[in-house]
Amino acid sequence: MDEERGGGSLVLAGTPIGNVEDASPALRAALATADVIAAEDTRRLHGLLTRLGVTTSARVVSYFDGNEASRVSGLLDALAEGRTVVVVSDAGMPTVSDPGYRVVAAAVDAGLPVRVVPGPSAVLVALALSGLPTDRFCFEGFLPRKGGERRRRLSGLASEERTMVFFEAPHRLEEFLADARTAFGDDRRAAVSRELTKTWEETRRGTLAELADWAAAGVRGEITVVVAGAAPAAVSIEDALPLVAERVAAGEPFSAVVAAVAADAGLPRKSLYAAALAARKEER
């Protein structure tokens, strides 16, 4: 493990995604004691400080997509001088579809301490609300704005078996869902959450076809889309026979191999046993 050398501390601070009451005491303390606050939008930061009733003597600098690369060296200098630098995005956790990755990577390379003040996450909130499987999921963030590129990305995810979470702008939601139903099929289950933790929070659940029809009328607010993963590919007995033969050839007992492969593939053990036994006789 790499050892971190002395200096300041880079703090990634999660901010409320809607309801200011979700702000933690740790967030308030981090903002109040920071030496430098790098904010995605300085005006929104000052608004948050006002709503939280927090005062700070920190130097506030803007840190957004357009200037992220150019800000890194200055923030590293502050860290090297022993200062505490807090990074905040407009909502949620920095680095998750928001600025922060570059300065974290640079701080890690320089051996400077990095820590996190956890906060609300639209990804996890929407996933929990979706009613879809949560044991395995992947976060795809914002897909390309151009239709052709977006459709290619969705097509590449058509066989993804994990639940998928996307961010989307409200004015592109209708197009996104139309492309998703083409890539995944009309009947794929999904959920659209908007304005999470806010007064007008809403989650719509249904098939992609149903949600696309609903979105055609127009949707407002911050959007998170959760889409069910693809059903596992069906394995036939014919597909399973080479798996049995390979493991038996490697020295595993025939009966044990048949039982294991049948369980993994969801096949009837007796049927696979009979087919594998017949295949062995044909090879002799």
Side-chain angles (χ1 to χ4, degrees):
M1 180 182 294
D2 294 336
E3 293 187 359
E4 296 172 337
R5 62 180 177 83
S9 179
L10 178 67
V11 181
L12 304 175
T15 56
I17 59 176
N19 187 349
V20 73
E21 293 182 2
D22 292 335
S24 67
L27 171 63
R28 297 170 190 267
L31 294 172
T33 60
D35 296 307
V36 179
I37 300 178
E40 185 177 10
D41 186 321
T42 58
R43 291 171 299 180
R44 294 188 67 166
L45 169 66
H46 287 301
L48 176 63
L49 291 172
T50 298
R51 292 193 299 277
L52 293 177
V54 171
T55 58
T56 181
S57 60
R59 177 168 61 92
V60 177
V61 299
S62 63
Y63 184 67
F64 57 94
D65 288 338
N67 71 358
E68 184 177 5
S70 64
R71 287 290 194 201
V72 169
S73 61
L75 296 178
L76 284 186
D77 289 343
L79 292 171
E81 293 168 0
R83 302 185 188 281
T84 298
V85 177
V86 175
V87 178
V88 293
S89 61
D90 289 346
M93 182 59 60
T95 76
V96 181
S97 283
D98 279 325
Y101 163 74
R102 287 184 175 87
V103 71
V104 171
V108 170
D109 288 344
L112 293 165
V114 180
R115 63 187 181 90
V116 168
V117 174
S121 166
V123 176
L124 297 181
V125 173
L127 180 66
L129 285 171
S130 70
L132 298 172
T134 59
D135 54 336
R136 297 176 65 234
F137 69 93
C138 59
F139 175 57
E140 291 294 326
F142 285 99
L143 295 190
R145 297 181 181 182
K146 294 183 178 179
E149 295 177 11
R150 181 175 58 247
R151 287 188 284 273
R152 282 191 290 274
R153 285 280 296 277
L154 289 169
S155 178
L157 293 168
S159 60
E160 172 60 64
E161 294 182 9
R162 295 172 294 180
T163 301
M164 296 166 280
V165 184
F166 303 87
F167 286 162
E168 190 52 275
H171 62 277
R172 289 195 298 270
L173 179 62
E174 180 183 0
E175 294 178 357
F176 172 91
L177 292 172
D179 290 340
R181 67 188 291 189
T182 298
F184 303 147
D186 285 351
D187 295 330
R188 183 78 68 93
R189 303 295 297 178
V192 176
S193 291
R194 68 180 192 90
E195 298 293 86
L196 288 169
T197 76
K198 299 178 184 178
T199 301
W200 305 112
E201 175 182 314
E202 178 184 20
T203 295
R204 290 270 183 159
R205 305 171 185 86
T207 66
L208 284 172
E210 291 167 343
L211 291 172
D213 291 341
W214 163 73
V219 180
R220 295 182 178 181
E222 301 290 332
I223 302 294
T224 306
V225 182
V226 184
V227 181
V235 177
S236 67
I237 288 180
E238 289 71 20
D239 294 331
L241 289 177
L243 302 177
V244 173
E246 181 179 352
R247 291 177 59 170
V248 170
E252 295 184 57
F254 177 76
S255 294
V257 168
V258 169
V261 171
D264 290 342
L267 295 170
R269 184 185 62 80
K270 290 184 178 180
S271 298
L272 180 59
Y273 185 95
L277 189 62
R280 292 183 72 182
K281 291 180 179 179
E282 290 180 1
E283 292 175 358
R284 292 174 181 172

